[in-house]
Amino acid sequence: MTVSRILSVAAVAAFASFGAQASELYGSEIEAKFQSTRDRAEVQAEAAQAVAHFKNFHVVDTRSASDSKVSRADVRADAVTAARAGAIATGNRS
């Protein structure tokens, strides 16, 4: 019993020491070695230009598209019929 307890404590200690060294194992020094080739003003100017182009989007008015010729009750009746026939998924089973 004591041998198994000693081995389990040794295994936990080994895993803990590997976890403590994870920063060196997974390459945390990559950020320290990185050298930028562009200056800060150039990057900020590019970001400002991208934001200006992003704001020029166009939203389509969905209300003016076309009015439906089918009533809400007809759509619901078709949905109930399709669900009973097993043609569409119902509930949380989908």
Side-chain angles (χ1 to χ4, degrees):
M1 189 86 149
T2 57
V3 173
S4 64
R5 183 169 290 196
I6 291 172
L7 289 176
S8 64
V9 169
V12 169
F15 287 131
S17 68
F18 287 136
Q21 296 173 2
S23 64
E24 289 98 23
L25 292 176
Y26 295 113
S28 63
E29 71 278 351
I30 291 174
E31 292 89 12
K33 293 180 182 176
F34 180 74
Q35 288 291 329
S36 178
T37 57
R38 298 167 60 189
D39 60 347
R40 185 180 183 98
E42 184 181 352
V43 172
Q44 287 178 344
E46 184 179 350
Q49 183 182 12
V51 168
H53 289 304
F54 180 73
K55 289 182 180 178
N56 293 333
F57 63 89
H58 167 127
V59 177
V60 177
D61 186 17
T62 58
R63 290 175 280 172
S64 66
S66 67
D67 292 331
S68 177
K69 306 286 188 257
V70 184
S71 70
R72 182 175 290 201
D74 291 338
V75 171
R76 286 187 181 191
D78 288 344
V80 168
T81 304
R84 287 182 182 157
I88 60 173
T90 59
N92 292 332
R93 295 178 292 170
S94 59

